[in-house]
Amino acid sequence: MISKLRLIQDRILKSFSIKYKRYIFEDIDFNDKMIAIFGARGVGKTTLLLQYLISLKQTGKNALYISLDYPFLSGVDLLELVEEFIDEGGEYLLLDEVHRYHDFSSYLKTIYDIYDINIIYTSSSATSLLNAKSDLSRRVSLYKLNGFSFREFLELKYDVTLKSLTLEKLIDTHIQQAQNISKNIDILSDFKEYLKTGYYPFYFDKRSSYFQNLVNTINLTIDIDLPSLGLIEQKYTYKLKKLLEVICESKPFEVNYTKIAQMSEISRVKLYDYITYLSDGELLLLIDSYQKGLKKINKPTKIYLNNPNLIEAYCQESQIGTIRETFFANQISLKHKINISDKGDFLVDEKYIFEIGGKNKSFSQIKDIKHSFVVADDIEVGFGAKIPLWLFGFLY
């Protein structure tokens, strides 16, 4: 079996030519014994594994890539496969799509506890890892892979190197940063392109069919990934698609759960579960209001589609305000805590208040509030406490 898998691996590597490496390569500690990468379909998890595989082979390591959605692996015992690989001197095992393997968390825990081998694997959701009965989460180093940041999109489009910014540096030096970045780039035109089609890396391979591929990605997430994770039965997946359509028609600041339940033909009790499932599949972005102390919130205050490209692909009509807020929330939530604020739109890290709007957005709603900023679309360079929206695409 290992020889067959090596033949498939060799075929894959012969046609693999992606050189650009994502932000996450700087974050991962590859010395850890077990590493998990989770993220939405289409954001580049397989590409990351293959790039790491190449780097291992270049240093003489005995490494093997296996996609667990290979049909011929159905019914194969993963532990026996690992033993065979170790008997051949195997050192690094790269497992793709582990959620397609039944009870994968128990198998991975056993491999970690028994065998002297390094494993890096991918999954579509962190939920199955963090809530696993086998307590796999104590053994694995977990990393989330987002879609392209605006910075990465520009790097790949123009073959340039652009540095990411910490939030603090962005706030303190936004004028200088915006001037330097936009000096030789039509930044506003590129930003509009990114909001429509720049979040998923496959855009650069399939531009003409981008939206069709994105809709297919949505359907595969709902029809295959979520049932594989045990989150929903196959016969109910159509309800999740209906729910997405209904959320498209609802403005984030007008979340009416009773209305959403009625329109999507889902009971109010099941609605919260289904919204969580879509969030686990990286199709929705849920944001709570800020609450001090231990007060429990049983439902999110605002519901967004996960990123602006999903709005373009899935929603018949899109409000520019929703697109702006979705972009901001998506880019900042990877490394920062974000809440809905009573004053302004968002509270970040329980410190900064951000009001999102167009180039003429005023400070009236956040006047005299400490650490408050207007984040404005359609401006290349800001001034004072007014920061260009596009610049928040440089946080990773």
Side-chain angles (χ1 to χ4, degrees), residues 158 231 263 282 298 312:
Y158 292 109
L231 296 178
M263 292 178 65
E282 302 286 318
N298 60 11
E312 292 287 342

Side-chain angles (χ1 to χ4, degrees), residues 123-182:
S123 177
S124 294
S125 170
T127 300
S128 58
L129 305 177
L130 298 176
N131 296 334
K133 292 179 182 178
S134 62
D135 201 17
L136 179 63
S137 59
R138 289 195 301 109
R139 294 163 172 81
V140 65
S141 298
L142 192 64
Y143 297 89
K144 180 180 180 183
L145 180 61
N146 257 20
F148 271 158
S149 66
F150 183 44
R151 179 190 68 85
E152 292 178 302
F153 172 79
L154 292 173
E155 282 194 326
L156 196 55
K157 180 175 181 178
Y158 292 109
D159 191 23
V160 296
T161 300
L162 299 166
K163 291 184 178 180
S164 60
L165 303 170
T166 64
L167 180 59
E168 290 74 17
K169 187 170 184 178
L170 186 156
I171 290 171
D172 292 340
T173 65
H174 69 87
I175 297 174
Q176 176 190 347
Q177 299 294 340
Q179 288 174 337
N180 291 340
I181 295 166
S182 63

